[in-house]
Amino acid sequence: MAELKCLLWDVDGTLADTERDGHRVAFNMAFEEAGMDRRWSIDTYGELLKVTGGKERMQFDIERGGMPEIPFEKIAELHARKTIHYQTLIADGLIPLRAGVFRLLEEAYAAGITLGVSTTTTPSALDALIEHSLGKEWFDRFAVLAAGDIVPNKKPASDIYDYALEQLGMAAEHTVALEDSGNGWLSARDAGLKCVVTINDYTANQDFTGADLVVSEFGEADRPAVDVLINKHNLDDVHHVTLAHLQAICEA
Ligand code: XBP
Ligand code: MG
């Protein structure tokens, strides 16, 4: 039985549905700008999402014959342009936070729980989302922003969670991870964390066996009840996910 002291948040798909209308669109803008013919459709992007990291995703598309062979410098260049386009989409307010995210963040912060981010995303893309979707004050409210190439192996490896815990000096048993994808769940699991998953269209059919709670969204009191797909600890009353639920999961 361990007290909840820390929440580590995934970003893409968890804080906001950034993949389909954010990252994917920004990649296509970078491809077009570079005079390339490749466009990633919504379905194609779903296939590519099994590889985390934007540069790695392009490399994977090249290897499977979707994009022409280009040197790594060109991939990095395209990715830098993509990140700028992504930041603009976020600054334009096109990608709202998912239901319940802001409520839970505020509640946890007010309760003195340590908050951190553990994501595969590039730091400057994360910064844009924090600034425009959460508000600048949240830069100080997160005790760690663990992102992108800061660790050798991206999710599903546990590196980014291991790194965040180490930076915080926090024990895994006091921490719950908030994720949206199979890769994210595996990463959290292998770091020894309890994990709550909010699925989305891209991740709904992925394997979350062993996760503590899997729901359609965190939800809100004044919205319809969330769909509960896995409720490992038989939590009562999951109309929407509350801080008390996260505490109960950590203590289970
Ligand atoms: C999701 C990812 C990221 C984004 C794109 O990570 O795999 O690669 O799709 O971001 P998470 P970059 O859900 O762990 O946040 O292009 O900046 O890599
Ligand atoms: Mg994610």
Side-chain angles (χ1 to χ4, degrees):
M1 167 148 179
E3 183 195 349
L4 177 69
K5 293 185 182 170
C6 177
L7 292 176
L8 289 179
W9 293 78
D10 171 52
V11 173
D12 295 305
T14 302
L15 291 183
D17 269 322
T18 49
E19 294 292 8
R20 193 189 71 180
D21 302 327
H23 291 295
R24 183 186 69 89
V25 172
F27 276 113
N28 284 338
M29 290 165 88
F31 297 157
E32 183 173 5
E33 191 179 60
M36 294 165 62
D37 293 332
R38 186 61 167 151
R39 298 291 179 272
W40 285 346
S41 69
I42 289 171
D43 285 351
T44 298
Y45 196 67
E47 293 160 22
L48 296 172
L49 274 175
K50 73 171 164 215
V51 174
T52 58
K55 295 185 286 294
E56 293 83 350
R57 194 165 294 145
M58 281 190 269
Q59 186 64 51
F60 174 62
D61 198 30
I62 290 168
E63 282 161 16
R64 65 177 214 155
M67 276 166 71
E69 189 81 41
I70 47 175
F72 181 76
E73 301 76 67
K74 178 75 180 163
I75 292 178
E77 212 175 284
L78 278 168
H79 190 256
R81 290 298 304 163
K82 170 262 169 182
T83 300
I84 290 169
H85 291 305
Y86 176 81
Q87 289 176 301
T88 306
L89 294 172
I90 294 294
D92 288 346
L94 295 180
I95 321 272
L97 295 175
R98 292 191 68 186
V101 164
F102 198 70
R103 168 180 59 77
L104 273 173
L105 276 169
E106 283 204 304
E107 206 181 334
Y109 180 70
I113 289 175
T114 300
L115 297 171
V117 163
S118 286
T119 175
T120 297
T121 294
T122 303
S124 54
L126 169 62
D127 289 351
L129 195 74
I130 292 176
E131 178 177 348
H132 298 286
S133 301
L134 285 172
K136 279 189 177 140
E137 63 277 19
W138 284 89
F139 285 112
D140 296 327
R141 294 184 182 182
F142 286 113
V144 66
L145 295 177
D149 298 328
I150 204 164
V151 289
N153 302 303
K154 292 184 175 167
K155 298 174 187 177
S158 65
D159 297 26
I160 200 71
Y161 279 108
D162 297 335
Y163 174 87
L165 291 173
E166 192 186 313
Q167 291 289 306
L168 294 170
M170 183 65 69
E173 61 173 342
H174 294 298
T175 305
V176 172
L178 305 164
E179 274 289 351
D180 73 300
S181 69
N183 281 329
W185 147 238
L186 292 176
S187 173
R189 181 196 70 182
D190 289 353
L193 304 176
K194 299 277 180 64
C195 184
V196 174
V197 177
T198 55
I199 55 164
N200 56 54
D201 284 351
Y202 276 137
T203 66
N205 295 320
Q206 294 177 354
D207 185 5
F208 298 109
T209 308
D212 295 277
L213 182 67
V214 180
V215 288
S216 51
E217 59 177 23
F218 294 115
E220 297 286 7
D222 59 359
R223 284 167 65 98
V226 302
D227 295 330
V228 180
L229 291 91
I230 293 178
N231 186 354
K232 187 174 171 180
H233 308 289
N234 299 315
L235 301 173
D236 287 333
D237 230 7
V238 190
H239 171 277
H240 57 288
V241 179
T242 64
L243 188 58
H245 290 133
L246 302 182
Q247 280 161 336
I249 286 169
C250 200
E251 287 168 13

